[in-house]
């Protein structure tokens, strides 16, 4: 039994190693594709990332899975690629840049040939690309090919090169627009905060008045209830007194009639 159990355990280790090896190969391929310039209609990378997620889940539940640090590193890289694909689907370059800031690349190279983690390189490339797109949008230039536009302005014969003064002016213009946008957003947030404060104070005043009205109504209801109890007791006493006097009066009348009949019979002679 022991050799059989050893063979089964050895096959399980080989299966886990094979699964991890396939995961590393596919992950390296995905990182290489992410670093390249891709067409908007490219669909293979998204499918590969989906396959990476399935392989990672299978590796997590495997009996002879790697260390938790290695699993976490694989998870970070897969999540980074997934978040990068989601950021590329956003419409504006500012949203892409904001989503790119929240991505966390891997900290360890995937293969031994890498000196710097490929995900970190992809992260820096995407950040530079989105920043260039934002700058192109703010300056009103074509954001599809910013590098070619720069080359045309600097290298095409017959066109004047961009001077340092012009570049500084453009940079100042971009910074001024960013500052104006931030001031506008700050003013809007301040106006919303003031409006919220005003509405809160108005609602608090209304609730306070309603509470006072409710307390007054409850107090009046308690007073009316006490008065109603008092009047009910008085009415009950009055009713009992009236019944007692009427009963005594009827008894006296009956007794008087009875005595009168006896006297009438005694006094009047009997008819012969």
């Amino acid at each position: 039994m022991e050799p059989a159990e050893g063979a089964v355990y050895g096959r399980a280790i080989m299966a886990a190693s094979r699964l991890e090896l396939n995961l590393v190969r596919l992950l390296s391929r995905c990182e290489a594709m992410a670093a390249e310039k891709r067409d908007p209609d490219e669909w293979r990378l998204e499918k590969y990332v989906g396959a990476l997620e399935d392989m990672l889940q299978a590796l997590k539940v495997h009996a002879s899975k790697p260390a938790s640090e290695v699993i976490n590193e694989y998870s970070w890289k897969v999540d980074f690629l997934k978040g990068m694909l989601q950021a590329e689907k956003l419409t504006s370059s500012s949203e892409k840049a904001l989503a790119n800031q929240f991505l966390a690349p891997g900290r360890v190279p995937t293969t031994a040939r890498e000196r710097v983690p490929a995900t970190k390189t992809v992260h820096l490339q995407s950040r530079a690309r989105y920043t260039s797109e934002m700058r192109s949008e703010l300056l009103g230039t074509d954001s599809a090919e910013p590098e070619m536009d720069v080359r045309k302005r600097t290298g095409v014969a017959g066109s004047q090169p961009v001077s340092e003064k012009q570049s500084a002016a453009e940079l100042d213009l971009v910074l001024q627009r960013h500052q104006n946008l931030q001031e506008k957003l700050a003013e809007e947030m301040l106006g919303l905060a003031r409006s919220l404060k005003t509405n809160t104070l108005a609602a608090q005043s209304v609730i306070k008045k309603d509470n006072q009205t409710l307390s007054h109504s409850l107090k009046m209801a308690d007073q009316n209830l006490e008065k109603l109890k008092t009047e009910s007791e008085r009415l009950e006493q009055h009713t009992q007194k009236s019944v007692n006097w009427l009963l005594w009066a009827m008894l006296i009348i009956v007794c008087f009639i009875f005595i009168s009949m006896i006297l009438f019979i005694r006094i009047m002679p009997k008819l012969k």
Side-chain angles (χ1 to χ4, degrees):
M1 293 297 294
E2 292 182 357
E5 292 179 356
V8 171
Y9 182 71
R11 285 197 297 270
I13 295 178
M14 289 177 62
S17 302
R18 190 181 302 111
L19 179 61
E20 185 178 1
L21 181 61
N22 294 333
L23 175 65
V24 171
R25 288 177 178 176
L26 185 57
L27 180 59
S28 178
R29 175 59 179 164
C30 291
E31 291 173 350
M33 292 180 64
E36 297 173 354
K37 187 175 181 180
R38 292 172 285 107
D39 295 333
D41 298 333
E42 178 64 37
W43 54 270
R44 292 181 300 171
L45 182 58
E46 188 173 358
K47 296 295 183 181
Y48 290 167
V49 172
L52 276 176
E53 291 181 349
D54 297 337
M55 295 173 66
L56 182 60
Q57 293 298 327
L59 187 63
K60 287 180 179 180
V61 299
H62 203 276
S64 56
K65 61 183 180 181
S68 59
E69 293 80 5
V70 179
I71 293 292
N72 292 334
E73 185 67 24
Y74 292 154
S75 300
W76 285 336
K77 293 181 179 180
V78 173
D79 292 339
F80 170 79
L81 294 173
K82 186 177 179 181
M84 186 195 67
L85 292 175
Q86 293 177 355
E88 290 179 352
K89 295 179 181 179
L90 298 176
T91 55
S92 64
S93 58
S94 59
E95 293 178 352
K96 293 179 182 179
L98 182 61
N100 185 73
Q101 291 180 359
F102 292 100
L103 297 178
R107 298 177 297 179
V108 180
T110 305
T111 60
R113 294 177 299 177
E114 299 176 0
R115 294 184 178 180
V116 180
T119 51
K120 184 177 293 186
T121 304
V122 173
H123 189 220
L124 294 176
Q125 290 177 353
S126 59
R127 179 185 298 178
R129 184 170 65 254
Y130 296 147
T131 304
S132 178
E133 291 179 0
M134 289 178 60
R135 182 176 180 275
S136 300
E137 289 181 0
L138 291 173
L139 295 177
T141 58
D142 187 9
S143 61
E145 297 180 355
E147 296 180 358
M148 293 183 63
D149 184 67
V150 172
R151 291 176 183 176
K152 287 180 181 179
R153 290 187 296 173
T154 56
V156 176
S159 61
Q160 297 180 356
V162 181
S163 62
E164 295 181 359
K165 184 180 295 184
Q166 185 177 356
S167 300
E170 291 179 355
L171 182 59
D172 292 338
L173 181 61
V174 172
L175 295 176
Q176 184 65 30
R177 290 185 179 180
H178 276 287
Q179 185 177 1
N180 294 337
L181 181 60
Q182 291 178 359
E183 290 178 357
K184 184 177 179 181
L185 292 176
E187 290 178 358
E188 292 180 356
M189 293 179 64
L190 184 60
L192 291 175
R194 290 176 179 174
S195 178
L196 181 61
K197 182 179 180 181
T198 304
N199 294 333
T200 304
L201 292 176
Q204 184 178 0
S205 177
V206 172
I207 293 173
K208 186 176 181 180
K209 291 181 180 179
D210 291 341
N211 289 333
Q212 292 178 356
T213 304
L214 182 60
S215 300
H216 181 69
S217 300
L218 292 175
K219 185 176 180 180
M220 294 296 296
D222 293 337
Q223 292 178 358
N224 293 334
L225 182 60
E226 294 294 334
K227 291 181 180 180
L228 181 61
K229 289 182 178 179
T230 304
E231 296 297 331
S232 299
E233 292 176 356
R234 291 179 59 185
L235 180 61
E236 185 178 359
Q237 294 176 1
H238 180 71
T239 304
Q240 292 177 357
K241 290 180 179 179
S242 300
V243 171
N244 292 334
W245 283 105
L246 182 61
L247 180 62
W248 284 107
M250 292 180 64
L251 288 175
I252 292 173
I253 292 172
V254 170
C255 294
F256 177 76
I257 294 173
F258 180 72
I259 295 172
S260 300
M261 288 296 295
I262 294 176
L263 293 175
F264 181 76
I265 294 172
R266 293 286 184 180
I267 296 174
M268 295 299 294
K270 296 182 180 180
L271 295 176
K272 296 181 179 181

